[in-house]
Amino acid sequence: MSAQGANRQASKATSQSHVKILAEMVMMIALATILYFTRIYTFPQGGSVTLGSMIPLMLLSLRRGAKIGISAGVIYGLIILYLEPFVYNPFQVLLDYPLAFGALGLTGLFRRLPIIGVAIAMLGRFVCHFLSGIIFFASFAPPEMSPIVYSALYNGSYLGVEFVISAIIIYALLRRGVLNIFR
Amino acid sequence: MQWIAQGFIFRRVSSPFHRLDPRVKLLISIELFALALLVSSPVQVVIAVAGVFTLAGVAKILRRMSRSLTYTLIFAVMIFVINLVVGYPLIESIVIATRFIAIVGATSVFFLTTPPDELELVMRWFRIPRDIVFAFVTAVRFVPVLMLDALQIMDAQKSRGLELQKGNIISRLRRFIPILIPLVVDAVIRSGELAEAMESRAYGAVKKPTSLYILSMRSADTVVAASSVLLTGLAAYLFLTLL
């Protein structure tokens, strides 16, 4: 086979895996969107605990690396924005949707230590929601209320539970070798 | 869970507002949002809320909007109570809380009246990378499909004796794993099928693919866009100087 032919075949192979990864992203995002609407508990102030809605994205990130995971997270954030718009400030939109869910892709940075990765991803999501919470309290609550404390309490309450759920399920799934199906 | 699958089917409502170019809808939504952010007195808040709900009325989405604003309403009540408790006057607390409803309502008008395929065109117009636009739109379309798969898996596992509605949180989590594993496997299988379908349609073969539908402004769109800019400018001017 000529050099050119081999070259063309190589580029075809990379484009094939590109398409495959893109399709995997699509399905994992759709799965995460479904799980987002399975609320097992809704806090009185509005935050809700889902049945591990972040697990598909974390699995994708562990499977295909942080870069793919982060871009999938950003798209997932945009879908949540589309389906449940809750916008009160231009910066809050960025923080609450693309950045907060994009942070879930950070799981892929710790492929050897998945539980640490889950913790880091949740921490990233917490930081984003925490900052947007500060914007919320600063613009709608009286200045007497300390925005830092209330935002931390509010976001920490449901993200903490969400972390425990995600960590348990991810651990159970990895032990059953879910990551390596159809590699 | 069936209702979730229903919720994802975008109902085509025919109203003058729905027929507008999606970019004009986005523009109007952003204008209302900016206007609501400027609000600081009772008269202004009435104007902003009236603007948002008149628009929702024209677009015939009042019922859907009130459903999606229930969450916002809880927040608004919370804001109202907190402000009142801390010692703000009644009127001012009401203004702050109502302003919040106007702000959130302004953006939800756009999202409630734009179907995914129109959103795709808008995203392309903003030159968002094609892979991202594709992933967004396709994922939204696949949600009902995967939803039905999930329901089927749940039924299958139930018929094998899995009880989903019983027990405390820990045992419910344990029972969720036999649902989640087939679901992930199913999603991966479907992703393989999707990849084949994309390959056979030569996805990514052309650097700059053309689109069957192209956004084009009709004269009505231009008129609406221009008059909305004028109205918003006027209202903003009044907000800042007189009212």
Side-chain angles (χ1 to χ4, degrees):
Chain A
M1 193 188 287
S2 70
Q4 203 187 359
N7 211 352
R8 193 182 301 151
Q9 209 165 42
S11 83
K12 197 183 167 200
T14 53
S15 92
Q16 237 166 18
S17 74
H18 171 83
V19 166
K20 200 176 159 200
I21 290 173
L22 187 60
E24 239 170 61
M25 274 168 73
V26 167
M27 288 304 165
M28 288 304 168
I29 294 168
L31 194 54
T33 314
I34 293 170
L35 292 178
Y36 184 80
F37 290 96
T38 58
R39 309 235 157 104
I40 44 176
Y41 185 74
T42 308
F43 276 93
Q45 343 86 337
S48 55
V49 176
T50 61
L51 210 48
S53 61
M54 287 159 274
I55 285 163
L57 292 173
M58 288 169 171
L59 284 179
L60 178 73
S61 191
L62 289 171
R63 196 173 142 103
R64 299 288 181 190
K67 207 179 139 203
I68 304 289
I70 290 172
S71 28
V74 170
I75 298 167
Y76 176 54
L78 293 177
I79 289 183
I80 299 298
L81 171 65
Y82 176 59
L83 298 174
E84 272 197 347
F86 190 66
V87 181
Y88 50 84
N89 186 295
F91 296 108
Q92 169 264 342
V93 189
L94 272 182
L95 281 170
D96 257 355
Y97 296 101
L99 293 182
F101 289 101
L104 298 179
L106 294 176
T107 322
L109 292 177
F110 300 85
R111 290 166 100 162
R112 294 279 160 85
L113 305 158
I115 302 299
I116 306 284
V118 172
I120 297 290
M122 290 308 274
L123 196 67
R125 203 183 148 189
F126 173 76
V127 168
C128 293
H129 286 313
F130 173 66
L131 292 177
S132 91
I134 288 183
I135 295 178
F136 174 80
F137 281 104
S139 45
F140 295 101
E144 287 87 345
M145 262 177 100
S146 156
I148 294 171
V149 175
Y150 282 92
S151 180
L153 277 180
Y154 168 63
N155 290 306
S157 61
Y158 68 91
L159 285 176
V161 182
E162 191 89 56
F163 164 69
V164 173
I165 294 177
S166 303
I168 293 173
I169 296 182
I170 288 271
Y171 178 73
L173 289 183
L174 292 186
R175 271 204 6 208
R176 287 168 173 79
V178 168
L179 273 190
N180 296 319
I181 40 171
F182 307 111
R183 246 335 222 294
Chain B
M1 260 173 130
Q2 202 91 42
W3 62 271
I4 308 173
Q6 299 258 308
F8 278 97
I9 301 161
F10 190 89
R11 272 176 221 91
R12 265 182 212 287
V13 186
S14 178
S15 79
F17 191 74
H18 279 77
R19 280 193 292 276
L20 284 177
D21 187 295
R23 288 167 295 177
V24 179
K25 287 188 230 174
L26 181 61
L27 176 73
I28 293 175
S29 215
I30 291 175
E31 285 168 352
L32 271 175
F33 179 66
L35 209 59
L37 281 178
L38 281 178
V39 161
S40 59
S41 79
V43 184
Q44 294 172 3
V45 96
V46 168
I47 294 177
V49 169
V52 169
F53 283 95
T54 318
L55 207 59
V58 171
K60 298 181 192 162
I61 51 160
L62 271 175
R63 188 174 295 169
R64 280 182 65 206
M65 186 142 126
S66 54
R67 206 182 310 147
S68 80
L69 283 184
T70 43
Y71 185 51
T72 314
L73 203 65
I74 299 171
F75 265 88
V77 170
M78 205 177 78
I79 293 169
F80 171 70
V81 171
I82 290 171
N83 278 292
L84 207 60
V85 165
V86 168
Y88 276 75
L90 182 69
I91 303 279
E92 201 167 323
S93 309
I94 293 178
V95 167
I96 295 175
T98 326
R99 173 173 171 253
F100 184 68
I101 296 179
I103 290 172
V104 178
T107 39
S108 67
V109 167
F110 171 72
F111 290 112
L112 285 177
T113 54
T114 309
D117 37 339
E118 277 185 19
L119 201 64
E120 177 183 4
L121 297 176
V122 175
M123 284 164 91
R124 278 201 190 163
W125 188 73
F126 278 115
R127 311 216 179 257
I128 293 173
R130 188 168 58 121
D131 285 354
I132 293 181
V133 179
F134 175 83
F136 179 95
V137 175
T138 319
V140 172
R141 287 206 186 122
F142 264 101
V143 166
V145 176
L146 281 186
M147 192 75 202
L148 291 178
D149 285 353
L151 290 172
Q152 212 168 14
I153 290 168
M154 280 165 80
D155 284 347
Q157 299 290 49
K158 269 188 215 157
S159 74
R160 294 185 181 111
L162 185 78
E163 285 185 292
L164 288 172
Q165 306 293 339
K166 273 190 182 171
N168 57 0
I169 283 228
I170 306 284
S171 57
R172 273 195 199 194
L173 275 185
R174 278 234 309 278
R175 292 191 193 119
F176 183 55
I177 289 170
I179 308 270
L180 198 59
I181 291 180
L183 205 52
V184 170
V185 173
D186 175 75
V188 175
I189 292 175
R190 279 205 182 270
S191 84
E193 289 168 1
L194 176 65
E196 265 170 33
M198 284 158 73
E199 277 292 324
S200 61
R201 289 165 180 77
Y203 181 90
V206 188
K207 280 276 173 288
K208 274 190 183 166
T210 51
S211 173
L212 178 57
Y213 301 102
I214 299 165
L215 287 178
S216 60
M217 297 274 274
R218 290 167 301 142
S219 50
D221 293 325
T222 323
V223 171
V224 171
S227 47
S228 79
V229 168
L230 275 179
L231 261 177
T232 317
L234 183 71
Y237 175 73
L238 285 176
F239 277 19
L240 291 174
T241 54
L242 297 171
L243 293 170

